[in-house]
Amino acid sequence: MTRQQEKATFAGGCFWCMVKPFDQWDGVISVQSGYTGGQTKNPSYEEVKTGTTGHFEAVQITYEPEIISYQQILDVYWPQIDPTDDGGQYMDRGPQYRTAIFYHDNKQKQLAEASKKKLIDSGRFQAKIVTSVLPADVFYPAESYHQDFYKKQKEAYKQERIQSGRDAFIEKYWH
């Protein structure tokens, strides 16, 4: 029997750091790094990193909703990011590193907007929450060397998280 599969797409800065937090949950089939939201067709990393393609670095998660819900995935997403930074994430600056939730249907849109409102209402952050909730667009998988970076380049991944300030921010604001 084939189980139902759905997609969830998020931008949270450097996509290398956004794979592992989702990859370790039961019901998550795959987490793919890529580009979405821009006007350039089939963009390369070199093009996206210029900040001129309109694309976000993003991850697309394929999951089984009977095992892990979209709400649970949203609950994993928010503590990975600084939702108040509209200039990028941590040391990664530029429009390609902005945060966004890309919804694939009206239910995802409603849940994403409700989760954003809950975060705003929580008062956790004094600054405005700037993470966008946008309709899903074409998702272009990143080059193979970007896929599963945390598994393939363990030391480089670890250094990226520390040097970027991501882990320090998460510890300060989310724990």
Side-chain angles (χ1 to χ4, degrees):
M1 179 165 120
T2 305
R3 294 184 185 223
Q4 181 184 359
Q5 296 180 2
E6 294 183 10
K7 299 225 181 276
T9 307
F10 301 102
C14 174
F15 49 35
W16 290 348
C17 293
M18 292 297 293
V19 175
K20 185 178 180 182
F22 297 104
D23 205 27
Q24 53 197 345
W25 291 90
D26 287 342
V28 171
I29 297 163
S30 67
V31 183
Q32 190 169 42
S33 296
Y35 318 109
T36 193
Q39 65 275 1
T40 302
K41 293 193 184 317
N42 298 307
S44 69
Y45 176 70
E46 294 302 317
E47 291 173 310
V48 172
K49 79 177 188 178
T50 67
T52 62
T53 66
H55 285 291
F56 295 72
E57 281 197 15
V59 291
Q60 188 161 82
I61 302 152
T62 303
Y63 68 99
E64 296 177 43
E66 303 88 14
I67 299 172
I68 186 169
S69 70
Y70 185 70
Q71 183 62 59
Q72 288 170 298
I73 292 172
L74 283 167
D75 292 344
V76 172
Y77 171 70
W78 287 110
Q80 307 310 315
I81 65 167
D82 175 353
T84 68
D85 188 347
D86 62 1
Q89 288 289 282
Y90 314 106
M91 73 175 183
D92 294 313
R93 311 313 299 160
Q96 68 274 28
Y97 296 116
R98 293 167 294 152
T99 60
I101 299 168
F102 295 92
Y103 59 86
H104 291 263
D105 58 32
N106 281 332
K107 182 180 176 192
Q108 283 189 357
K109 179 182 181 183
Q110 291 169 349
L111 289 169
E113 288 175 344
S115 71
K116 181 177 176 178
K117 182 177 182 335
K118 182 179 175 185
L119 180 59
I120 291 167
D121 292 348
S122 76
R124 180 182 295 267
F125 295 96
Q126 299 303 308
K128 182 181 179 186
I129 304 299
V130 297
T131 300
S132 300
V133 177
L134 302 168
D137 200 352
V138 177
F139 183 86
Y140 298 99
E143 295 80 353
S144 62
Y145 67 93
H146 289 299
Q147 304 301 332
D148 294 319
F149 187 80
Y150 82 97
K151 292 178 184 175
K152 295 187 230 175
Q153 300 286 333
K154 290 179 179 157
E155 283 306 308
Y157 169 76
K158 189 174 165 184
Q159 287 305 309
E160 170 77 17
R161 288 195 64 102
I162 293 167
Q163 291 172 348
S164 71
R166 184 181 291 264
D167 287 344
F169 181 90
I170 290 169
E171 185 62 34
K172 180 176 180 180
Y173 288 96
W174 292 104
H175 291 285

